[in-house]
Amino acid sequence: MAKQLLGKEVNAQLNEQIKAETAALRERGITPTLGIVRVGEREDDLSYERGAVKRCETLGIAYKKYVLPADAAQEDVLAVIGEVNTDAQVHGVLLFRPLPKHLDEEEIIHALSPQKDVDGITDGSLAGVFAGKALGYAPCTPSACMEILKHYGIDPAGKKCVVVGRSLVVGKPAAMMLLQKNGTVTICHTGTKDMPSVVREADIVIVAAGRAGVVDGSFLRAGQVVIDVGINVGADGKLCGDVKYDEAEPLVEAITPVPGGVGSVTTSVLLSHVVQAAKAQNAEMLDTFMAK
Ligand code: NAP
């Protein structure tokens, strides 16, 4: 039976830290605040938003919602981005994507101030991940995968790591983060030949394909650590990952469940970035306070 790598166990430690730092900032008159920008009413966006809002409330972080209709014009969305960029009370922004197809997502993303890009979506933030430098904030989901590994003492150094998926949101940055930790990394995608044998070689597998059950028992073996990023709705209407959990769990050493794994840690990482952003945007004032 595999060890379950549970989001709630990782979050317990992360959230204590966020709560303490938020309380310390509030004492100095700074309330870390997340701006939530949503265009339309997609159910997956609403579900993530509900989770983020609840967590903000638990941790003492404030939030401001900016909601536009699904048919909002490009200028209207850009105007909201301009507003959050200049609002000194908003320290970080969560922009739900994908945006409706009629919008130019690239232009909207790049209108966002890099200092407020706590979700790591601008080119500057991604450049930091790819250059291995502390530029901006790293994308939250691959960071959550790394937090899970760190929490359970799983060090990628010297290990064979396989990432399934090469999106800029998850797969590519996850591969770069594993490389940064001295893992030997292979990335799989739809053009990969004989994916089962490539994945079987890995000590650590991160799966972010967005296809329910794309990794089944034939890809896996004893001793592997499996991080399942996928969030899908299965044929039975229930949430499921990209890994066939029932086939994987008896085989591998450790695995994240879906739900209950990566997703909730992603929210913690996002909110820890909001706290960091609040500190960075008030660094001068905090330095003065510390000097007193
Ligand atoms: P995406 O943009 O659709 O990218 C999927 C990637 O997987 C692509 O690179 C694609 O390859 C690859 N892929 C798809 N089917 C494959 C297959 N059969 N074999 C090998 N590779 C395959 O998705 P994403 O945004 O990265 O998200 C991936 C999953 O993570 C989704 O289920 C999403 O809901 C979930 N997610 C979870 C969180 C969280 O917090 N837990 C956050 C974000 C996303 P090609 O490049 O060749 O097309």
Side-chain angles (χ1 to χ4, degrees):
M1 240 176 79
K3 178 177 177 55
Q4 283 205 322
L5 307 176
L6 298 174
K8 65 179 178 194
E9 291 182 355
V10 184
N11 282 334
Q13 208 175 335
L14 273 177
N15 288 347
E16 273 316 303
Q17 203 178 327
I18 296 169
K19 218 174 182 173
E21 290 187 50
T22 302
L25 284 169
R26 278 178 169 262
E27 269 178 31
R28 289 155 180 72
I30 301 158
T31 303
T33 302
L34 173 68
I36 299 172
V37 180
R38 172 163 51 78
V39 182
E41 307 282 326
R42 280 172 43 144
E43 193 41 56
D44 49 348
D45 292 348
L46 290 169
S47 156
Y48 187 73
E49 183 179 304
R50 280 192 292 273
V53 161
K54 203 167 149 201
R55 193 78 68 77
C56 280
E57 286 165 354
T58 312
L59 299 176
I61 292 174
Y63 60 89
K64 278 190 185 178
K65 285 194 203 178
Y66 303 81
V67 179
L68 292 118
D71 62 353
Q74 183 78 4
E75 307 78 68
D76 296 336
V77 186
L78 287 171
V80 166
I81 298 292
E83 194 182 330
V84 291
N85 281 345
T86 50
D87 185 345
Q89 305 303 317
V90 174
H91 303 107
V93 173
L94 171 65
L95 168 68
F96 282 107
R97 295 176 302 150
L99 289 165
K101 289 218 166 3
H102 68 280
L103 295 169
D104 179 348
E105 188 167 299
E106 280 289 296
E107 186 189 20
I108 291 165
I109 288 174
H110 293 110
L112 180 63
S113 160
Q115 286 82 4
K116 301 200 175 185
D117 179 22
V118 289
D119 203 16
I121 62 175
T122 58
D123 284 352
S125 300
L126 287 169
V129 178
F130 282 78
K133 292 181 181 164
L135 300 172
Y137 301 93
C140 297
T141 304
S143 300
C145 298
M146 300 307 287
E147 284 293 337
I148 292 170
L149 293 176
K150 188 170 92 182
H151 178 85
Y152 288 102
I154 301 160
D155 183 359
K159 302 219 169 76
K160 286 184 188 163
C161 306
V162 167
V163 179
V164 180
R166 57 177 165 182
S167 76
L168 272 180
V169 180
V170 193
K172 278 184 191 161
M176 289 302 119
M177 289 176 188
L178 290 164
L179 184 62
Q180 186 70 18
K181 292 287 177 194
N182 296 323
T184 302
V185 186
T186 302
I187 306 177
C188 294
H189 44 78
T190 52
T192 300
K193 289 207 173 84
D194 191 11
M195 203 165 73
S197 64
V198 178
V199 174
R200 255 194 322 270
E201 280 285 302
D203 302 306
I204 298 173
V205 189
I206 295 184
V207 189
R211 303 278 180 279
V214 73
V215 168
D216 63 25
S218 72
F219 290 60
L220 301 167
R221 60 166 173 80
Q224 292 179 304
V225 172
V226 180
I227 308 284
D228 188 353
V229 179
I231 302 176
N232 312 288
V233 179
D236 57 0
K238 290 187 183 153
L239 274 193
C240 65
D242 289 350
V243 178
K244 281 193 178 150
Y245 188 87
D246 292 350
E247 294 185 21
E249 195 269 346
L251 285 174
V252 302
E253 174 97 13
I255 185 166
T256 55
V258 178
V262 178
S264 66
V265 183
T266 300
T267 311
S268 296
V269 171
L270 176 78
L271 297 184
S272 76
H273 288 173
V274 175
V275 173
Q276 284 175 42
K279 280 192 203 166
Q281 286 159 40
N282 291 282
E284 220 169 282
M285 195 257 259
L286 290 169
D287 283 349
T288 315
F289 186 90
M290 298 298 278
K292 276 184 188 164

